[in-house]
Amino acid sequence: MPGRRQALASRVLRHESDPMRPTHHLAKRLAATLAVLAATFAATAFTAPAAAAETGRGIDWQPCPDRPDIDCATIEAPLDYDHPRRGTIEIGLARAEATGPGERIGSLLVDPGGPGGSGVDTVKDGFTHPAFDVIGFDPRGVNTSTPVKCDPALVQAANAIAHPADQAEFETRLEANAALTDDCRTRTGPLFDHMDTRTTVEDMERIRRALGEGDLNYLGYSYGTLMGQQYAERYPHRIRAMVLDGNLDHAVDTA
């Protein structure tokens, strides 16, 4: 689906190349969501125990160089889950440990959306929870994960017409997106064609296993809700609690 990949490449690189992106708005939404989280996760806190946690490979957590109070790590994931012997990539993680003494229940996986939003940066921005280790992850291609590589000039050209005013501008944007897609695919290599939501869902499951959690607690915003929905379809038996804020309808083609 070239059109969808062109749009995704443009949106991912627009986010990553914008140093002034309004992270304070996300911080406000995260704070507002804490009340919902408390009610939702507390409702499941005293139900029957979840299935025993699987034994994963574990994660080698180390203090983040720029935030020693936060833990950082990477885990390996197959480049192509359909052909797992064709190489691996890295998925970047950050962890803020539960702040409530004696209250820890488990881990809470968080994604801020995008596409192109950094879960690692979300945790570094100060998102914590008294009963859960907050785990942020960077989807493949983003930030601390194995990155997409593109010519910055082509990124700028593709983003120059954010909202086409007429058919001519729309065609210009399509041409710029096509040029950006070709450039990113060439510079990035095979990863470029393995960045779809289905693959990200498999990365989420791999993170759950590496954490050693029997069931997933997940908080997703915007595009992160699409990831949550598809995880729920793929692994309905692996969900303990899930909050989706700003839902996308994954039955609608948004390319």
Side-chain angles (χ1 to χ4, degrees), residues 4 6 9 24 50 81 85-86 113 124 126 128 149 156 161 164 175 188 206 212 216-217 221 225 246:
R4 180 171 295 179
Q6 290 169 13
H24 61 284
Y81 281 92
R85 295 184 179 180
R86 292 184 178 177
K124 289 182 178 180
T128 61
K149 301 175 183 178
Q156 185 175 3
I161 305 176
E175 292 174 2
T188 303
R206 194 171 187 85
L216 180 73
N217 299 295
Y221 292 91
T225 69

Side-chain angles (χ1 to χ4, degrees), residues 11-18 21-23 26-27 30 64 66 70 72-73 91-95 109-127 134-145 218-224 227:
R11 292 169 70 184
V12 168
L13 270 296
R14 180 174 66 248
H15 181 94
E16 290 303 305
S17 62
D18 181 7
R21 63 184 186 274
T23 55
L26 177 59
L30 287 170
C64 302
D66 57 337
I70 301 294
C72 285
I91 302 296
L93 306 172
R95 177 181 67 178
L109 189 64
V110 176
D111 185 87
S118 169
V120 168
D121 285 350
T122 298
V123 173
K124 289 182 178 180
D125 285 344
F127 183 28
V134 179
I135 310 295
F137 77 104
D138 287 335
R140 51 178 59 205
V142 175
N143 200 22
T144 62
S145 293
Y218 178 71
L219 169 62
Y221 292 91
S222 188
Y223 173 70
M227 294 155 57

Side-chain angles (χ1 to χ4, degrees), residues 3-18 21 112-118 140-142 148 150 154-163 173 176-177 180-181 184 192 195 197 221-227 246 248 252-255:
R4 180 171 295 179
R5 291 192 180 116
Q6 290 169 13
L8 176 60
S10 178
R11 292 169 70 184
V12 168
L13 270 296
R14 180 174 66 248
H15 181 94
E16 290 303 305
S17 62
D18 181 7
R21 63 184 186 274
S118 169
R140 51 178 59 205
V142 175
V148 172
C150 303
L154 292 179
V155 175
Q156 185 175 3
N159 293 329
I161 305 176
H163 304 287
R173 178 61 190 259
N177 281 358
L180 177 62
T181 298
C184 295
F192 188 84
M195 293 173 53
T197 307
Y221 292 91
S222 188
Y223 173 70
T225 69
L226 191 61
M227 294 155 57
L248 299 179
V252 177
D253 187 350
T254 57

Side-chain angles (χ1 to χ4, degrees), residues 53-90:
E54 297 181 13
T55 301
R57 291 186 176 181
I59 299 174
D60 182 19
W61 295 108
Q62 299 291 334
C64 302
D66 57 337
R67 282 292 305 273
D69 56 321
I70 301 294
D71 296 323
C72 285
T74 59
I75 62 170
E76 285 191 348
L79 170 68
D80 180 354
Y81 281 92
D82 292 331
H83 304 280
R85 295 184 179 180
R86 292 184 178 177
T88 61
I89 63 163
E90 291 189 339

Side-chain angles (χ1 to χ4, degrees), residues 12 28 54 64 113 144 147 152 156 160 183 190 202 212 226 228 231 235 237 247:
V12 168
K28 290 180 179 179
E54 297 181 13
C64 302
T144 62
Q156 185 175 3
D183 177 77
E202 297 304 325
L226 191 61
Y231 184 92
Y235 297 103
H237 58 294
N247 275 283

